[in-house]
Amino acid sequence: QVQLVESGGGLVQAGGSLRLSCAASGLTFSSYAMGWFRQAPGEEREFVAAITWLGRSTKYADSAKGRFTISRDDAKSTVYLQMNSLKSEDTAVYYCAASRDFSKGSYDYWGQGTQVTVSS
C-alpha cells in the first residue's frame, strides 16, 4: 500500500522557520514528482511547491517563492519543505502528494497532513 506521512509541523512565531518532511512507502519514490499543498481554515487547498523527477526542476507558488525551498532525498524516499520567514498567513494544514505524470498537473497519492500554525 502507498503511504505518505508528513511530519515537522507545529507552532512557531512569525519570522521563524520549520522544516516539513514527507516519508513515502509502497511506491518507487524516485519515479514520482512530489508536491506540497496547504489548506487554511475556511479556504480551498492550494499549491505550494513541487519538485520533479531527480530534482530536475522545482516550482513554487508566488506566496512561497523566496521563502520556501522544496528538496528530495531519493535514498530516504523523503521530500522536504524548508519554510523560512514564516507569516501568520502561512497557517494551514500542509499535505504532500505524489505525481506519476507531473506534466498533466495531477497527483495520485496524498498524505494526511501536518498542522503549521504561525503566531503573530
Side-chain angles (χ1 to χ4, degrees):
Q1 294 180 324
V2 173
Q3 188 173 28
L4 304 179
V5 181
E6 301 95 336
S7 62
L11 174 64
V12 298
Q13 293 186 345
S17 299
L18 282 175
R19 189 178 76 157
L20 306 183
S21 299
C22 174
S25 60
L27 78 170
T28 304
F29 183 78
S30 60
S31 298
Y32 287 77
M34 300 296 297
W36 286 97
F37 294 76
R38 68 187 184 187
Q39 187 168 22
E43 299 183 11
E44 297 182 352
R45 184 176 297 184
E46 65 175 348
F47 170 80
V48 177
I51 186 165
T52 58
W53 183 67
L54 293 178
R56 290 168 60 91
S57 64
T58 57
K59 293 184 177 181
Y60 296 92
D62 288 342
S63 60
K65 196 171 300 181
R67 299 188 299 124
F68 295 2
T69 302
I70 188 171
S71 61
R72 64 190 296 159
D73 186 341
D74 288 352
K76 297 180 178 180
S77 296
T78 301
V79 62
Y80 305 94
L81 184 68
Q82 177 67 46
M83 304 187 295
N84 299 325
S85 301
L86 284 163
K87 307 173 182 179
S88 60
E89 50 262 45
D90 294 318
T91 295
V93 176
Y94 284 71
Y95 301 88
C96 70
S99 174
R100 291 177 294 179
D101 190 351
F102 185 70
S103 65
K104 296 181 179 179
S106 60
Y107 289 81
D108 304 285
Y109 306 106
W110 296 81
Q112 294 301 305
T114 184
Q115 176 71 48
V116 171
T117 303
V118 184
S119 63
S120 300

